[in-house]
Amino acid sequence: MSAEDARAELHRLRSSIDNLDAALVHLLAERFKCTETVGRLKARAGMPPADPAREAVQIERLRSMAESSGLDPHFAEKILNVIIAEVIRNHEQFAEETED
């Protein structure tokens, strides 16, 4: 393979990565719109911001999907834990706003 062919292939692959990154950002934005609605509902109902039982189910579900997709389940769990932590932080903020 020539250097020119390699550069062309690299450009093609990076373009695909850029498209996937954009899709991930859009999906995360949609997910957070949904979790915002959940957080506001929970705040109005006086429910706690975190739901450890739900989180455990989600983590196990994601690990299983990751495994069947050829993605390291440990890595997938780390990503979900970051997302969950941010969701809980947002839900706590909504609860504080409701108290005021």
Side-chain angles (χ1 to χ4, degrees):
M1 174 180 276
S2 71
E4 185 176 325
D5 290 341
R7 279 191 292 278
E9 179 67 4
L10 184 59
H11 181 273
R12 185 189 68 75
L13 291 168
R14 286 181 173 166
S15 180
S16 291
I17 290 168
D18 292 348
N19 289 337
L20 291 166
D21 287 344
L24 286 171
V25 168
H26 291 293
L27 288 171
L28 281 171
E30 285 302 310
R31 189 185 195 287
F32 274 92
K33 286 177 191 173
C34 289
T35 61
E36 178 179 348
T37 302
V38 168
R40 292 190 186 284
L41 173 67
K42 288 167 76 173
R44 285 192 310 272
M47 299 169 75
D51 185 345
R54 162 83 173 154
E55 294 156 22
V57 168
Q58 286 298 93
I59 288 169
E60 190 53 43
R61 184 175 149 271
L62 186 78
R63 287 183 64 89
S64 177
M65 284 190 298
E67 219 170 280
S68 67
S69 298
L71 181 65
D72 178 1
H74 180 70
F75 172 73
E77 182 176 347
K78 287 193 312 189
I79 296 299
L80 186 60
N81 281 328
V82 168
I83 293 169
I84 289 171
E86 184 64 15
V87 167
I88 291 170
R89 188 188 69 74
N90 290 337
H91 289 192
E92 289 169 344
Q93 183 179 343
F94 301 144
E96 289 172 13
E97 290 170 4
T98 302
E99 291 172 2
D100 294 339

